[in-house]
Amino acid sequence: MSLSTLPSPHYRRIAEMLRMTLASGALRAGDRMISARKLAEREQVSLPTALEALRCLEAEGLIFARPRSGYFVCQTDAVPSMQVDRQLSGPVPVAMSAVARSLFSSAETRLVPLGAALPDPEWLPTEALQRALLATGRRLDARGQSYSLPPGRADLRNKIASRAAQWGARFAAGELVITAGATQALRLALRAVCQPGDAVAIEQPAYFGTLLLLEDLGLKALQIPTDPLEGLMLEPLAEAIQHHRPAAVLASPTVQNPLGASMPVARKQELVVLLARAGIPLIEDDVYGDLAGEGQRPPACKAFDLSGNVIYCSSMSKTLAPGWRIGWIAAGRYHTRVLQARMAGEWAGAPLLEAAMSEVLSSGDYDRHLRRLKSRINEGVKAVIAKVEASFPPGTGVAMPTAGFLLWVKLPHSINALEVHRRALALGIGVSPGPLFSPAAELQNYLRLNCANEPTPHLLNAVGQIGALCHELARVG
């Protein structure tokens, strides 16, 4: 074997991801595993690397090989189960605000940051951001203290469109509208295509910010089963379209929050075609997209949009500068409606921050930072998973994220995540309990943990303390 074909260290990460796929319950004994070729394509690694990952699982007795047929799942109890709920229910009202208020009331308290989905401030390129602010401040002078009018600064829109073209995006700078973060972009998208009382198909579980938006706009949630590895499930979605006809589908096909799942490229294409044929817009939340892929990031659904039916929303809040509140929306055929809504609402942007963001993107500082950030996230995720496995009670399952920094943890049924949250707060630790990710405050035995922090002894000790709380509650239950 030549040096060029030796498997890279990435096989360990891929093996761990596959291990957690088995833990999710998405595959059962006797099911065929993904082929080495498809695994290599999906993870953007060499074929020997993908094969080495599969052989790791074979050596552990989790899968077995059949000559000329591939790998299959063994009958084993070695991996705790996290079954996907494949049952489809009808649209339901969203009642999130009371739960959210009670949970966010302590947001100002200094906590061990395992709850909020934000990268460690120490991991952000502070010096590069400050340089960009100073340089653009001198260039803009007094104009930097004025307003940026919709659709936002042309230089920033040009840079975003140019970067998006690298993964196949089908929009130009003139089709972009700069927003105050991705949440405002999602709000504009929902307002453009929905009326109060409409149903919106969402992932199950769903990002709680999405649920709060639905509640505020008077929209109903139509939950679609979501695989812990491959994201939104298309068969239940097609059934939901047939029986309930949602006004829109709102999803994160690349690095879903809270699961960390990413749809394979072929299924993204299928999703775009399915919704285009049905005449139902896809609102694509892609805030974590830049964290996916070893090198070039995978395409978003917007890359396959031939009819303007995909409303693409993203921001830099999860990768670069959360406090700058720079997001954008490429609304396709709904561009005029979105632009009108932007002008009618909180229409003014911040020219200094928009210009500084353009500077960071142009300088190469963002790409250098992104490479370091992804490496740090990978180490953080591995460290937290290892601590969860060592300190949480038997019966705990973990959905291994395909990318990003969020960990979705299923606790034994007797444990109430809201009580875990309450007791963790008393210890100075923040966690996000499962009821935040359900329109009716369900998912009582789930937690979401943020792994985008330096895995110091202090942080890992906090993970261990949560595990101890879970052990205590399991005994009581």
Side-chain angles (χ1 to χ4, degrees):
M1 183 182 292
S2 68
L3 287 177
S4 61
T5 60
L6 285 171
S8 77
H10 295 312
Y11 79 88
R12 295 189 183 92
R13 176 190 61 81
I14 298 171
E16 180 63 20
M17 180 193 67
L18 294 173
R19 201 174 288 115
M20 294 303 169
T21 301
L22 298 178
S24 75
L27 294 173
R28 296 176 174 82
D31 284 352
R32 185 193 300 270
M33 292 289 291
I34 185 172
S35 71
R37 179 182 59 80
K38 289 185 178 179
L39 182 62
E41 290 174 357
R42 189 183 74 193
E43 298 300 317
Q44 298 181 325
V45 296
S46 67
L47 182 59
T49 297
L51 280 168
E52 188 67 17
L54 290 166
R55 287 169 182 150
C56 281
L57 268 65
E58 183 181 21
E60 295 171 18
L62 299 177
I63 62 176
F64 64 94
R66 288 178 181 163
R68 296 183 297 278
S69 297
Y71 285 92
F72 295 80
V73 180
C74 292
Q75 177 68 52
T76 177
D77 297 324
V79 186
S81 175
M82 184 183 286
Q83 296 289 339
V84 180
D85 183 1
R86 290 175 166 80
Q87 287 192 329
L88 186 65
S89 58
V92 296
V94 181
M96 281 293 301
S97 56
V99 175
R101 278 196 304 271
S102 68
L103 295 177
F104 297 154
S105 61
S106 58
E108 295 299 318
T109 307
R110 189 169 181 82
L111 302 171
V112 179
L114 292 166
L118 291 172
D120 191 328
E122 297 296 324
W123 289 4
L124 301 179
T126 304
E127 291 184 6
L129 294 172
Q130 290 175 342
R131 281 198 309 270
L133 281 172
L134 289 172
T136 53
R138 287 192 295 266
R139 187 169 70 247
L140 293 180
D141 198 18
R143 290 172 297 158
Q145 311 309 318
S146 184
Y147 286 145
S148 171
L149 302 179
R153 286 185 61 91
D155 56 347
L156 177 57
R157 289 185 289 116
N158 279 319
K159 196 61 191 175
I160 291 169
S162 175
R163 291 183 62 85
Q166 297 174 17
W167 50 257
R170 297 174 179 269
F171 56 78
E175 299 172 75
L176 281 166
V177 177
I178 303 301
T179 62
T183 298
Q184 187 185 62
L186 294 173
R187 179 182 290 275
L188 292 171
L190 289 167
R191 288 181 57 191
V193 299
C194 299
Q195 298 294 325
D198 284 347
V200 176
I202 61 170
E203 294 146 326
Q204 180 188 33
Y207 166 51
F208 63 77
T210 295
L211 297 171
L212 290 170
L213 280 175
L214 296 185
E215 182 176 14
D216 186 54
L217 295 172
L219 301 169
K220 295 179 180 178
L222 178 58
Q223 298 181 85
I224 307 300
T226 303
D227 184 87
L229 179 66
E230 298 193 340
L232 193 70
M233 300 175 70
L234 298 185
E235 296 79 6
L237 176 61
E239 182 183 344
I241 290 171
Q242 181 180 358
H243 290 96
H244 303 292
R245 186 67 190 182
V249 175
L250 197 166
S252 297
T254 308
V255 194
Q256 195 263 357
N257 177 1
L259 288 173
S262 291
M263 297 181 73
V265 172
R267 288 184 60 191
K268 290 179 181 177
Q269 292 176 287
E270 292 178 35
L271 174 62
V272 172
V273 171
L274 170 66
L275 296 182
R277 287 175 177 168
I280 296 173
L282 170 62
I283 302 173
E284 182 175 20
D285 180 356
D286 195 46
V287 294
Y288 294 95
D290 278 356
L291 296 177
E294 295 294 338
Q296 175 65 38
R297 58 152 291 171
C301 286
K302 189 65 176 175
F304 311 111
D305 180 24
L306 302 178
S307 61
N309 194 52
V310 178
I311 305 176
Y312 178 81
C313 304
S314 190
S315 80
M316 291 287 180
S317 296
K318 305 302 182 182
T319 55
L320 184 64
W324 285 19
R325 308 309 301 140
I326 299 292
W328 55 90
I329 180 170
R333 69 170 74 150
Y334 307 99
H335 174 77
T336 300
R337 293 189 208 173
V338 164
L339 185 57
Q340 289 174 342
R342 179 77 169 100
M343 296 178 72
E346 299 172 357
W347 56 274
L352 180 59
L353 293 178
E354 290 182 18
M357 184 67 76
S358 178
E359 176 79 16
V360 174
L361 295 178
S362 300
S363 67
D365 284 331
Y366 178 60
D367 291 307
R368 286 187 288 273
H369 158 67
L370 198 58
R371 287 191 290 271
R372 291 193 298 268
L373 179 64
K374 289 162 74 172
S375 176
R376 283 175 148 177
I377 286 172
N378 186 43
E379 293 303 312
V381 169
K382 289 193 296 186
V384 174
I385 286 177
K387 192 65 176 179
V388 168
E389 291 177 339
S391 58
F392 277 54
T396 298
V398 179
M400 177 65 176
T402 59
F405 50 76
L406 300 174
L407 204 64
W408 187 239
V409 180
K410 181 180 181 180
L411 306 172
H413 285 286
S414 61
I415 300 176
N416 187 311
L418 289 171
E419 181 64 13
V420 175
H421 166 79
R422 187 185 69 78
R423 296 192 184 196
L425 278 182
L427 297 174
I429 304 168
V431 297
S432 292
L436 269 180
F437 304 89
S438 165
E442 299 163 329
L443 302 174
Q444 295 285 335
N445 61 312
Y446 288 82
L447 291 175
R448 191 196 70 182
L449 301 179
N450 171 29
C451 303
N453 295 285
E454 195 65 34
T456 62
H458 179 61
L459 183 123
L460 295 179
N461 180 63
V463 177
Q465 287 179 283
I466 297 170
L469 288 177
C470 291
H471 273 284
E472 181 181 341
L473 290 170
R475 287 193 296 271
V476 173

